[in-house]
Amino acid sequence: MRRRWVKVLVIVVVVLAALFTTVDRIAVHYADKEAAQLAKEKYGYGNTTDGHLDVSIEGFPFLTQVASQDFDHVSLTANRFTVDTMNNAQGGYLNVDRLHLDLRGVTVTSLAARSAEANLATGTLTLSYKELSEVLTRLAGHGGPLQVSRAPGSNGQAARVKVSGTVDGTALDATGTLLAQGDEFSLTVPGVDRAGMDWRVGLPEGVGFEAARATADGVEISLVGHQVRLGSSRFGA
């Protein structure tokens, strides 16, 4: 009889554990979707039809983290969203290939305001040479298509890129600089006289560009932030 009760108890524990795990996973899936929607609304990461935004709240059990309103690790990945030049220059829209953020030590500061803070944020933003070539061609005006590719000499927050093609009937073979500072990056190319080749990216308050480098596939900009404000800003909603 005793063995039978032990067996029954074990089965009950296993079933309850399975139910808890199921409920926990359903809850985290719902929270991931809600967080992604907030990021779209706040930072504009979902402003294209072919873009994709994913937020993942790591750790188990999720419900325990909810109860404490503390989360060890939250990651955000946004693919193919658009940023425009800071002066809204015609044709200045640029598709960002990928933005990835890892948020550590996230604490919910206000449920009503839907805001939180993270102790540390790190990540990368990637711009493909294809998209850089297309936007530079549009902004340069008259001439043939311009091609952007990797160049040696990236240093700190300045990535070096090679630009070739034709501008106003003149052949161009120059080395340009993509400079990333704060939440803005600019592209300067000798021989291309066009104002407005600078863009701003919507980032959580406290996150900024740390370094930029030209890779084989595109320009990769690293990001870092401490005591990062998520959701509503200290200076407004």
Side-chain angles (χ1 to χ4, degrees):
M1 182 64 70
R2 183 178 178 182
R3 289 182 178 179
R4 182 179 178 184
W5 277 109
V6 170
K7 184 178 181 181
V8 170
L9 181 61
V10 170
I11 293 173
V12 170
V13 170
V14 170
V15 170
L16 289 176
L19 288 173
F20 176 80
T21 301
T22 301
V23 171
D24 191 83
R25 294 302 89 191
I26 292 173
V28 75
H29 178 69
Y30 175 79
D32 287 347
K33 290 179 64 177
E34 286 296 301
Q37 184 59 39
L38 289 175
K40 287 181 180 180
E41 295 172 1
K42 178 66 180 179
Y43 305 112
Y45 298 150
N47 58 10
T48 60
T49 56
D50 59 345
H52 179 70
L53 175 61
D54 178 70
V55 174
S56 179
I57 302 173
E58 310 293 343
F60 180 84
F62 167 71
L63 293 175
T64 301
Q65 297 182 81
V66 171
S68 65
Q69 297 187 15
D70 289 318
F71 303 87
D72 292 334
H73 179 202
V74 178
S75 65
L76 179 150
T77 302
N79 298 99
R80 289 195 62 79
F81 63 95
T82 299
V83 293
D84 208 344
T85 56
M86 293 175 62
N87 68 344
N88 295 313
Q90 185 175 0
Y93 59 89
L94 172 63
N95 289 321
V96 174
D97 258 25
R98 182 177 184 268
L99 168 68
H100 179 77
L101 284 174
D102 282 307
L103 305 166
R104 304 283 181 174
V106 178
T107 300
V108 175
T109 54
S110 172
L111 290 174
R114 300 188 300 180
S115 63
E117 287 188 353
N119 288 334
L120 174 66
T122 56
T124 55
L125 182 141
T126 304
L127 305 168
S128 73
Y129 293 128
K130 175 179 179 293
E131 298 295 345
L132 288 171
S133 298
E134 290 180 358
V135 72
L136 188 56
T137 298
R138 293 192 299 268
L139 289 174
H142 303 292
L146 295 175
Q147 298 295 324
V148 180
S149 58
R150 184 180 188 178
S154 294
N155 183 35
Q157 294 175 294
R160 304 286 277 174
V161 294
K162 180 181 178 181
V163 181
S164 57
T166 305
V167 178
D168 293 329
T170 303
L172 178 69
D173 187 6
T175 299
T177 301
L178 191 147
L179 180 65
Q181 295 178 313
D183 60 354
E184 303 170 9
F185 62 89
S186 60
L187 180 59
T188 304
V189 182
V192 179
D193 183 18
R194 176 74 185 195
M197 290 201 296
D198 46 7
W199 297 262
R200 174 178 287 132
V201 181
L203 296 173
E205 183 185 337
V207 177
F209 298 135
E210 183 182 38
R213 65 189 184 97
T215 71
D217 300 318
V219 175
E220 184 179 276
I221 304 173
S222 61
L223 305 96
V224 69
H226 300 276
Q227 300 302 311
V228 174
R229 185 82 168 185
L230 304 165
S232 62
S233 168
R234 294 185 180 94
F235 308 105

